Amino acid sequence: MTTHKAVPVSVDAMIKDLRTLVEVESPSRDLDALAASAATVAAVIENRLGGRATLVESEAGPHVHWSGGGDPAVLILGHHDTVFPLGTLERRPFEVRDGQVTGPGVFDMLGGLVQAIHAVAALDDRSGVEILVTADEEVGSRCSRALIEERALACGAVLVCEGAADGGGVKTGRKGCGTFQVSIAGRASHAGLEPAAGVNALIEAAHQILDIAALDRPEIGTTVTPTVASAGTLDNVVPAQATVVVDVRVETAEEKERIEAAFARLSPHLDEAEITVEGCVGRPPMPESASAGLFAVAKRLVPDLEGRAVGGGSDGNFTAALGVPTLDGLGAVGGGAHADHEYVVVDTMAGRANLIAGLVLAIRSGESGGSGRFGGSGRFGGSEGRSATVSAGQAAVEPGLATDRVGGA
């Protein structure tokens, strides 16, 4: 039976550290800002935990890795990049008011990161604990995925400090998610003098949107949603180019394969139109089986804790797909991810830190499921991007740049 005496954590100290992180803006892909943010995260970790936090350089910006020494047993996973552009802090500064903390990135996911750091700081023995804070989660984790997977496999259990589900629940499952871009090449002509001489890319895009939308199977958890479209240059020119961007969410490996194959088979409706497809389901589904053992421990620690499967993706999708027990949504309780009303509930911060501390202790004592793996064949296939060019109904599919741009929450 799991028992856990509350560890001493200071909410005031957590809020101080959260202010420190929030006030160093860290928009994804801004390498200078991310370098400053990573250095700040490392300084907070070293100040609270001792030892050395290592900056792991990447094309997306520096990741931060810390180890408590000893045999690795649990990976605490987070990210320091945010979706907000530089200057957001000036318009929406860090503030504590009416029991809430507000400011860019407080919920997704700097609040959860701070809570985790303080949870580990409260432990007498920090051995076996690793913390990895990446720089590119909000833009697909392409430069951090290999490192995430390496440390997850080494540790054998993963606690993801993304924001809590609605009502403070943890996230026991996530859909796989990805982004596809369909580009249509037609031929321009004068819309008044000789419209038939052109190949209207906008009309072709309309056909493709209907074909793509028909892939949707919400009854089994698959959503295929065209989200952005563009075409044309002037109102008197038959458009020669068009693009359609599509958000995809799936619950199973079979649906991932079906959707990727369907995009590869897209074919033109208009003679002489050409279609190029880029993208994949870059984040595999996180099945609820991946979290079952850890969630059972969490329920013993907090009996009224709820678990929810959600549609958004996180880096926990990658670790769960490897067969590593993963529990997500252990971060801040609040809401408004990616929005101006983003907030964290102050009164919940100590409790969430204690939950993480209790889980770490249980994992190290072997209460989370023994071998540190759940059943399955391991890696979820097809992580690479795909690119297909289709002309006159013929498809040639080859590896290409993935366009997964779906971040977690």
Side-chain angles (χ1 to χ4, degrees):
M1 178 69 179
T2 301
T3 60
H4 169 57
K5 183 178 179 180
V7 296
V9 292
S10 167
V11 173
D12 288 342
M14 284 194 282
I15 289 175
K16 177 182 177 182
D17 286 346
L18 182 53
R19 176 188 290 273
T20 297
L21 297 186
V22 170
E23 290 185 345
V24 180
E25 292 181 288
S26 54
S28 304
R29 298 194 176 100
D30 188 320
L31 298 186
D32 290 338
L34 289 167
S37 174
T40 305
V41 170
V44 170
I45 290 174
E46 291 175 353
N47 181 51
R48 297 297 177 186
L49 304 182
R52 183 183 175 212
T54 302
L55 298 184
V56 182
E57 297 295 335
S58 81
E59 292 180 2
H63 316 306
V64 184
H65 179 251
W66 177 89
S67 171
D71 293 335
V74 56
L75 177 66
I76 295 174
L77 185 57
H79 63 90
H80 66 97
D81 64 318
T82 69
V83 300
F84 301 103
L86 290 179
T88 302
L89 186 67
E90 182 178 0
R91 176 174 57 83
R92 189 160 57 86
F94 183 91
E95 187 175 22
V96 183
R97 178 188 294 181
D98 298 329
Q100 295 184 348
V101 183
T102 56
V106 292
F107 179 67
D108 187 11
M109 61 155 286
L110 301 175
L113 177 57
V114 166
Q115 290 167 182
I117 293 169
H118 281 255
V120 177
L123 300 176
D124 293 330
D125 178 9
R126 300 166 191 167
S127 63
V129 180
E130 295 192 15
I131 298 174
L132 178 59
V133 187
T134 64
D136 62 345
E137 192 275 345
E138 295 290 3
V139 290
S141 305
R142 289 187 196 88
C143 292
S144 58
R145 179 173 181 174
L147 178 61
I148 291 167
E149 293 178 338
E150 173 195 311
R151 299 322 307 157
L153 287 168
C155 291
V158 179
L159 305 177
V160 184
C161 293
E162 292 282 2
D166 290 346
V170 294
K171 295 171 181 176
T172 54
R174 287 183 178 274
K175 290 185 178 182
C177 50
T179 303
F180 290 82
Q181 179 169 297
V182 180
S183 301
I184 296 103
R187 183 172 60 247
S189 66
H190 195 292
L193 295 178
E194 47 179 5
V199 178
N200 194 315
L202 178 55
I203 292 176
E204 182 61 53
H207 285 295
Q208 295 302 321
I209 289 170
L210 294 176
D211 291 347
I212 290 165
L215 300 174
D216 198 57
R217 290 186 182 174
E219 70 278 4
I220 58 172
T222 299
T223 58
V224 181
T225 309
T227 53
V228 180
S230 63
T233 53
L234 295 171
D235 60 1
N236 62 352
V237 178
V238 171
Q241 304 289 333
T243 59
V244 179
V245 178
V246 186
D247 178 273
V248 172
R249 312 281 166 143
V250 299
E251 289 187 358
T252 66
E254 293 75 17
E255 279 297 279
K256 171 190 183 292
E257 293 169 2
R258 180 182 73 87
I259 292 298
E260 290 183 339
F263 271 94
R265 289 195 303 267
L266 289 176
S267 59
H269 289 253
L270 303 182
D271 291 341
E272 298 185 75
E274 292 188 353
I275 299 172
T276 300
V277 178
E278 295 177 284
C280 66
V281 180
R283 292 187 191 272
M286 173 183 163
E288 291 190 80
S289 58
S291 65
L294 290 172
F295 181 55
V297 175
K299 286 282 287 183
R300 292 196 291 270
L301 293 166
V302 183
D304 62 350
L305 185 68
E306 294 185 355
R308 299 187 182 183
V310 298
S314 83
D315 288 336
N317 292 57
F318 298 137
T319 63
L322 292 172
V324 179
T326 300
L327 187 59
D328 206 333
L330 288 162
V333 176
H338 298 189
D340 282 352
H341 65 280
E342 184 180 22
Y343 69 95
V344 170
V345 179
V346 172
D347 286 347
T348 64
M349 295 179 71
R352 296 302 270 202
N354 265 275
L355 174 58
I356 293 171
L359 284 165
V360 169
L361 292 172
I363 291 166
R364 288 195 314 199
S365 67
E367 293 184 45
S368 61
S371 66
R373 298 289 184 269
F374 74 92
S377 59
R379 185 181 298 269
F380 183 101
S383 64
E384 75 277 6
R386 294 191 177 277
S387 175
T389 300
V390 185
S391 178
Q394 300 297 315
V397 182
E398 57 187 24
L401 176 65
T403 59
D404 172 29
R405 294 187 290 269
V406 184

